[in-house]
Amino acid sequence: MNHLRPIKQLPTHEVENMPPYIGNQDLWKGDKNLRDAVNREGAAWAEKKLSDFGQLMGSTEMFDHAEKANKNPPELKAFDQYGNRINYIDYHPSYHHLLRAAINNEVPSFAWKHNKEGSQVAHMALTYMFNQVEGGVMCPMAMTYSVIPALRHNQQLEDQWLPKVLSNQYDDRDIPIDQKVGATIGMFMTEKQGGSDVRANSTRAKPVSSNVGNGSDYLLTGHKYFCSAPMCDAFLVLANTDVGLSCFLVPRWMPNGERNSFFIQRLKEKLGNKSNASSEIELDDTFGTMIGEEGKGIKTILDMVIGNRIYCAVSSASLMRQAIVQVQHHVSHRSAFQRRLIDQPLMRNVIADMVLESEAALNLSLRVARAVDNQNSNEDERSFARISTAISKYWITKRAPYLVFEALECHGGPGYIEESIMPRLYREAPLNSIWEGSGNVMCLDVLRALQRDKNALPSLFRELASAKGSNKNFDESFSHLKETLQDPIDLEIEARLLTEKMACLIQASIFIKSGEEEKISAFCNSRLGPRWSGAFGTLPTDTSFEYIMGGI
Ligand SMILES: Cc1cc2nc3c(=O)[nH]c(=O)nc-3n(C[C@H](O)[C@H](O)[C@H](O)COP(=O)(O)OP(=O)(O)OC[C@H]3O[C@@H](n4cnc5c(N)ncnc54)[C@H](O)[C@@H]3O)c2cc1C
């Protein structure tokens, strides 16, 4: 709608000092930091793919579909007209269009299909571009990407599901898996009495026959309180056997060709993420096949959760980026007090500060993706991937809502109006910090990584040490982190501060290694300096604002 040519001459006044419609964006060519980060982290070979995708996703057509998919949220059709239970979710055609675009372009499958160095990095770059347009579709895409390592816990299920999950054909038909050309997979862990604390799950699983354990069939009974993308073809579900909490693959359709007996009770009315359905589900003798070791369900499903956490980090970086693109457009075309907003000294500080944050967020996400790429061949990278996943999930998702809010405020009144994309970005922003482990849980996970993996801290320190010697604030902050970690008393109380410090130090180290002096000093002398308040627009006066904003 926004791209319809407006009438500027109205009966009482002429519309002036208002920005033109932003139009097509090129999410790859227009984003130098993304291109640099992809090169730095070893995925330059994927440039053609990323370039084509950036152009496709940044088109006004895609943004229009995203708007429609969010303004027309999915509806639950629990029953057909004859009272049969069908559990059907009716999505707007624009949602299907976006999901098809994601699957056709390998958003959930790229990393696994091009299994070479840099493939996880390229994959996250695809996610980063897609999520700037629409976050709801990314939920089933994240889960479908992340389920692969968990599927590997059972050869038979892997053989059956992998080819469908890796297919780049979108198949939205609600039919048995053997008749489908492509599939998506979701995840049900959370119950009313416990989300973070999944050990509180009360859903029970009883074996169908005397066969028990990995690969055996069970019937599950209980409830699941948050079940996103319930139209998926299967779900990894946690339930208790006599041995303990175990993981099951629950398909929509049973192997005998009948509809599986689970009941979508309602769709939640959410703050944001409107295009994506999130539901409550009753399981009543629901068919499922155990995947992974009996009693080790959390370990099995964690393989999926970890992928989702990286997704959360990169998706939040992506929301920041789109917020900045919007704000830069606005302040370049809007004047107040005889000067363009972008030329106002205080606004320049706010925007440069946000650009820095957004770039640091993407840089960190892609560094984590590279560690995931390398983790099977390099022990240091494995340890670094483990701890930096939690660090980045905490810090990037924590900064995104605040940055999006500031970007919204930079628009003044029009940023608060629903025709603008800003309210949608704003409502989307807190979610990545809640699901897949909320803020405190992520910080506690950082401590857990330190305790359980003796190489976690050395790998982090080696990463930081390689950037020592070029900025005083960086060096002092690094020394201070080391001192704090030597004294384990009160680590839990301080876990947020520690995790934030680790995140900012890694982000700073990436700037240092990339050698852009202007960004190094602005980042280190704010985030790692003594006067940082956390608010945007507080960079030191000697900052090269122009240089940093040039990265937009
Ligand atoms: C839109 C949406 C979609 C979702 N989709 C799914 C889905 O598809 N599948 C699924 O399984 N789940 C899903 N979830 C659930 C989500 O993963 C949980 O809400 C989340 O893990 C938090 O669990 P909880 O809601 O039970 O909160 P709680 O566990 O009660 O946590 C509440 C707060 O307490 C904090 N906290 C918890 N433990 C500690 C501690 N030891 N120390 C200090 N603080 C602590 C947490 O950080 C959090 O801030 C979804 C949630 C949302 C909002």
Side-chain angles (χ1 to χ4, degrees):
M1 275 216 334
N2 284 328
H3 52 274
L4 297 177
R5 187 173 296 204
I7 301 167
K8 290 274 188 189
Q9 192 63 56
L10 298 180
T12 58
H13 64 282
E14 192 174 341
V15 180
E16 56 185 35
N17 194 23
M18 282 293 185
Y21 179 53
I22 193 165
N24 290 324
Q25 299 178 34
D26 190 325
L27 302 180
W28 173 254
K29 291 209 178 78
D31 190 343
K32 180 176 180 304
N33 187 57
L34 172 62
R35 286 183 275 117
D36 288 349
V38 163
N39 283 339
R40 187 172 55 239
E41 305 302 353
W45 53 267
E47 181 173 352
K48 170 84 173 80
K49 168 97 188 168
L50 297 171
S51 171
D52 291 349
F53 191 63
Q55 203 174 14
L56 172 80
M57 283 315 298
S59 66
T60 55
E61 187 202 341
M62 287 298 183
F63 278 96
D64 283 353
H65 278 300
E67 191 181 331
K68 287 194 189 103
N70 281 277
K71 293 216 162 130
N72 301 280
E75 284 178 31
L76 171 62
K77 308 265 193 246
F79 299 92
D80 69 9
Q81 74 265 38
Y82 300 115
N84 298 307
R85 189 86 196 202
I86 52 171
N87 289 329
Y88 182 69
I89 311 287
D90 193 5
Y91 289 93
H92 189 269
S94 285
Y95 181 84
H96 289 295
H97 184 90
L98 291 164
L99 202 47
R100 181 170 295 107
I103 289 175
N104 290 168
N105 287 285
E106 303 180 306
V107 170
S109 59
F110 187 88
W112 312 117
K113 282 161 83 173
H114 305 266
N115 199 3
K116 60 177 178 176
E117 213 179 308
S119 61
Q120 296 284 345
V121 173
H123 166 91
M124 285 303 163
L126 291 171
T127 301
Y128 176 77
M129 291 192 277
F130 195 107
N131 194 74
Q132 288 185 50
V133 184
E134 216 291 299
V137 167
M138 283 293 97
C139 169
M141 294 298 83
M143 294 193 286
T144 301
Y145 152 78
S146 305
V147 78
I148 306 292
L151 271 184
R152 295 196 171 128
H153 287 269
N154 184 284
Q155 190 64 55
Q156 210 180 332
L157 292 174
E158 186 183 350
D159 291 346
Q160 185 186 13
W161 285 89
L162 200 67
K164 311 283 166 118
V165 168
L166 293 184
S167 163
N168 55 6
Q169 283 179 271
Y170 175 51
D171 188 343
D172 65 343
R173 293 173 300 163
D174 185 11
I175 53 175
I177 188 63
D178 54 353
Q179 299 166 30
K180 294 197 66 160
V181 294
T184 52
I185 297 189
M187 172 177 88
F188 306 162
M189 295 193 294
T190 308
E191 296 183 4
K192 287 174 189 162
Q193 70 281 2
S196 312
D197 187 4
V198 287
R199 284 191 171 74
N201 272 197
S202 63
T203 297
R204 299 285 315 166
K206 58 173 197 274
V208 167
S209 69
S210 55
N211 292 339
V212 293
N214 194 358
S216 304
D217 296 335
Y218 287 75
L219 296 177
L220 279 60
T221 299
H223 77 282
K224 292 290 169 183
Y225 190 45
F226 272 96
C227 307
S228 292
M231 78 298 179
C232 286
D233 298 284
F235 308 89
L236 291 198
V237 181
L238 288 181
N240 286 290
T241 66
D242 291 343
V243 175
L245 203 54
S246 307
C247 187
F248 299 86
L249 187 127
V250 172
R252 272 193 105 73
W253 294 81
M254 295 189 287
N256 66 4
E258 283 180 22
R259 199 178 272 280
N260 203 354
S261 104
F262 68 79
F263 306 102
I264 304 178
Q265 301 295 78
R266 67 166 178 142
L267 298 189
K268 308 239 191 213
E269 211 171 302
K270 295 176 290 183
L271 168 69
N273 196 250
K274 298 272 188 189
S275 67
N276 179 31
S278 298
S279 62
E280 292 173 21
I281 290 188
E282 290 292 314
L283 305 167
D284 187 7
D285 275 345
T286 307
F287 175 86
T289 304
M290 187 180 286
I291 183 162
E293 210 180 318
E294 187 172 10
K296 299 271 194 268
I298 296 179
K299 187 169 173 285
T300 308
I301 212 165
L302 255 183
D303 280 346
M304 182 172 184
V305 171
I306 285 169
N308 288 338
R309 286 178 177 167
I310 302 171
Y311 243 87
C312 288
V314 80
S315 299
S316 286
S318 144
L319 292 175
M320 294 191 214
R321 167 70 192 171
Q322 185 53 222
I324 285 172
V325 170
Q326 296 288 333
V327 85
Q328 193 268 347
H329 177 74
H330 187 89
V331 298
S332 304
H333 292 94
R334 174 85 175 169
S335 298
F337 305 101
Q338 295 84 48
R339 254 208 286 204
R340 287 190 314 158
L341 290 174
I342 200 164
D343 297 325
Q344 307 277 3
L346 186 50
M347 184 60 97
R348 292 164 74 76
N349 196 337
V350 173
I351 290 173
D353 211 354
M354 291 196 296
V355 169
L356 214 47
E357 187 75 31
S358 153
E359 293 190 357
L362 175 71
N363 294 347
L364 173 56
S365 308
L366 294 196
R367 173 65 189 95
V368 177
R370 173 157 65 93
V372 175
D373 260 325
N374 297 341
Q375 64 182 347
N376 293 330
S377 57
N378 181 320
E379 196 194 334
D380 251 10
E381 287 287 272
R382 182 161 57 250
S383 297
F384 185 73
R386 166 72 183 87
I387 192 167
S388 63
T389 296
I391 293 170
S392 61
K393 159 76 163 85
Y394 170 70
W395 186 238
I396 297 173
T397 67
K398 192 62 69 191
R399 291 297 278 168
Y402 178 39
L403 185 146
V404 173
F405 151 65
E406 279 290 2
L408 186 153
E409 187 181 304
C410 290
H411 286 75
Y416 201 70
I417 302 301
E418 290 291 342
E419 279 82 12
S420 152
I421 192 178
M422 293 312 299
R424 180 155 66 82
L425 298 181
Y426 181 71
R427 284 192 292 261
E428 190 70 24
L431 181 54
N432 286 324
S433 168
I434 297 173
W435 57 12
E436 311 300 340
S438 307
N440 289 351
V441 172
M442 289 329 303
C443 294
L444 296 176
D445 193 49
V446 170
L447 298 187
R448 194 173 305 114
L450 292 177
Q451 279 162 5
R452 297 220 175 140
D453 179 356
K454 294 295 163 230
N455 191 37
L457 203 53
S459 72
L460 174 65
F461 283 174
R462 272 193 283 277
E463 178 82 7
L464 300 179
S466 60
K468 261 176 72 175
S470 65
N471 182 281
K472 183 170 159 287
N473 283 322
F474 178 89
D475 293 350
E476 284 178 7
S477 193
F478 183 21
S479 301
H480 186 247
L481 175 72
K482 281 187 186 160
E483 280 162 28
T484 316
L485 286 167
Q486 267 163 13
D487 179 6
I489 297 169
D490 293 337
L491 275 191
E492 187 167 335
I493 297 175
E494 286 195 299
R496 277 187 178 229
L497 196 59
L498 277 172
T499 307
E500 172 183 329
K501 261 301 160 257
M502 289 174 184
C504 291
L505 278 164
I506 304 171
Q507 291 177 324
S509 74
I510 300 171
F511 279 130
I512 290 172
K513 284 181 236 170
S514 64
E516 284 179 277
E517 269 317 314
E518 294 81 353
K519 291 181 186 170
I520 298 167
S521 59
F523 192 88
C524 294
N525 300 342
S526 56
R527 275 67 174 167
L528 304 178
R531 60 186 283 269
W532 196 50
S533 72
F536 289 111
T538 55
L539 293 174
T541 49
D542 61 358
T543 299
S544 302
F545 298 106
E546 190 68 38
Y547 181 87
I548 294 169
M549 288 192 299
I552 293 176

